[in-house]
Amino acid sequence: MFYKMACQRPGWSLIRNVTLSLLLRHNNPRQGIGRQMDGLRNLRVGRQLNRAACTTHSCSKVPPTPTWEPVGETPLSLAYSVSPDLMDRMERLALVDFRNHEGVARLQCAITFADQLHIVDTEGVEPMDSVLEDMQLYLRPDTAIEGDCAEVLLRLPTKTVEEFYVAPPGNIPLPQREERCGLKKKD
Amino acid sequence: MASPLVRTCGFCVVKLQRGGWFSKYVLISTNTFAFTIVRPTTVSPQSKPTPRKNDPKQRVGVVGLEIHAQIHSNTKLFSGARVQFSAPPNSLVSFFDASLPGTLPVINRRCVEAAVMTSLALNCSINKKSLFDRKHYFYADLPAGYQITQHRLPIAVNGSLSYSHLVGQKWSQAVVKTVRIKQIQLEQDSGKSLHDDTRKQTLIDLNRAGVALMEIVMEPDMSCGEEAAAAVRELQLILQALGTCQGNMAEGQLRVDANISVHQPGDPLGVRTEVKNINSARFLAKAIDFEIQRQIDVLVNGGVVHNETRTFDFKLGQTIPMRDKESLQDYRFIPEPNLPPLIVYDNESTPVNADPQQVINIDLIRVNLPELPSAKRTRLVDQYGILPEHSFVLVSEDGLTEYFVSVLQETKAEPKKVIGWVIKELLALLKQYNLTVSQSHISPSSLAELLNLLEMGVISSSAAKQVFLLMWKECDKSPQQIVKEQDLGLVQNEKILEEICQNVLDGHLEEVTAIKKGNKRVLNKLIGLVQKEMKGRADPIMVKTLLERNIS
């Protein structure tokens, strides 16, 4: 009803802004805009209102002033230190070489940064694991529309054998920690 | 005869008798001055001194299966590339399958429907909301470095699969067992790698990368290779009946990995090993039995079973540790960021005004499920009055039920007789020449004609068998033609039969006296001799009456 009132009184921009922000505001910050928009989609939207919805500032999700406070470093600085075993395991899993001071320092910063999450009170709140949780998964029909591009694909690697990709035989195991340190010293 | 309580000691060949409270056996005769009190466990010379671990409680195997069934669809799970068994290398690969940057997964509706159908057929409870995850590991045939699967919340959980396990030789000893299904999930397949050891390289073909698989995880409820093979066979039949998977293990459409451990009943489960690379149901039973025995032997000899992945070498009939697998893989599961949750609906929760192409309705799928093998077996037994073991064979062979039904439609013979012919004669020939039912040399109508001739009394049953074999060899001749050519028609001319019966009786006077004394079974031998003379064409009833008349 508020919506219709806003339609009929184009001059009352303040009312329109307020009603729009009331309607479009979500009670639960996690609940996306999608659900409420479903109901609104069925209403006839006048062209004037459409323009207003696009340009007015109050329908933006970005708050006008910052609402967060920086967390002090002291309670979190030495919360978690990285052991050499953990470093070795992570290098082996991710195959990323970061065994120098810079790498370790960067890792420590990343851990400290993520530790800020521990301050947030998540009692009784269901964890969100994807920002797409309100989107509908599109189901594609079962017809072949891609493929048959072997030439294009095989132009990318430097070496191919009779339209096959070429790889080394099996996984080359990462050398053990001592051997790797030895290799590094040589470089 | 020595009393059963007297035994001979294997070490010194001296007689022992069951003794008193302090020993099982006591010496009762001496040839030498040596005197032995022998414990029963070391009486036989073959037994070695056994360690404590070899206690009477037998170790049993525990088998859990993980089955990957390739969904029968036109395109892959997340890309629009075609699915085909053998095609030129890398010709069925889209940019997403080659994991080129900037590509995103788009799920195939048919694959979700197939997963829901299979879950309903296996009595699972379907999760209305299921999530996709990434499972990371490095291998050349996985170009993205991760596989999109459903780890946290799969599409279906808690189902069951019932199968019949033949304990002995006879059908009456078949036991119906159930194995619980832990979960069913949708996941991507990886590409194929061909190892070229001579040039120290691996050739990668990504045609199979991205094809939809249903992973069916079973609880470790089975205890031997036979049970596992029976369960897999039943699952194959169900999937083929639903049309969700063609179930051909040789073509890689159904892949089975077995998790095997041994323990003593009542104890917690032992360390398990995973056996991969099994490409037929027969090898599955062999591989599992071998692995169970190997683990028992390791434990009996005081060793320790390691948690490892082994491959089955079918030429040796053994499981061998795999070189390339690291012992503890950390798959670093993360939620798939490019895919929203998969929601399936039922009649109550389907949103109004929704596009039907975008809605998967479980109730609609359940209503349209085709007839499952177990239902088909009971229907055949009820409808045609055949025995359960016959319906089992009919359902197991592809196309045999349709053959049987078409023969029944064209013949007046009873189902019980028809089933005998179909299973014993036709199936035996098909197995001998390794053909499928569709490749049979004898069509249902020809068999029906033959059975009609038999019913009408034109030929005898032994002649019919000969005609059957000739029909197999000469495909285009009808049964009547063969009967005419080979002159296998039933001979009912009394004079000819009389003559032959008299000859047989004259030649076997001993048997005649035996019959006159009262031994009626010898008559069958004489009937057999008459039939041999007549090449199986004589009317058996007439022969019997003639013989009996001539004897008395």
Side-chain angles (χ1 to χ4, degrees), chain B residues 455-518:
Chain B
E455 277 294 299
M456 289 190 293
V458 174
I459 47 174
S460 69
S461 58
S462 44
K465 288 191 182 134
Q466 290 179 36
V467 174
F468 188 79
L469 287 169
L470 287 166
M471 274 163 67
W472 180 272
K473 289 192 185 119
E474 299 158 41
C475 314
D476 42 356
K477 290 198 184 151
S478 81
Q480 278 173 334
Q481 277 179 314
I482 296 178
V483 167
K484 233 190 232 176
E485 283 172 21
Q486 301 284 329
D487 194 23
L488 287 168
L490 209 58
V491 174
Q492 288 174 324
N493 190 334
E494 221 181 298
K495 271 193 201 156
I496 302 176
L497 284 179
E498 180 97 42
E499 211 183 296
I500 303 226
C501 288
Q502 198 59 49
N503 286 346
V504 166
L505 286 173
D506 292 338
H508 295 87
L509 293 165
E510 281 180 11
E511 282 83 356
V512 175
T513 38
I515 293 168
K516 280 187 185 164
K517 278 188 191 164

Side-chain angles (χ1 to χ4, degrees), chain B residues 134-182:
Chain B
R134 288 186 181 179
K135 177 177 174 181
H136 297 84
Y137 62 94
F138 289 113
Y139 206 67
D141 62 15
L142 199 66
Y146 60 87
Q147 178 194 34
I148 301 180
T149 172
Q150 293 184 304
H151 179 71
R152 289 168 296 157
L153 204 58
I155 192 163
V157 288
N158 294 338
S160 65
L161 171 66
S162 301
Y163 60 96
S164 302
H165 178 220
L166 266 173
V167 179
Q169 287 295 326
K170 288 196 276 184
W171 182 259
S172 47
Q173 292 163 310
V175 180
V176 172
K177 291 202 168 182
T178 310
V179 56
R180 289 168 297 158
I181 291 182
K182 185 169 171 209

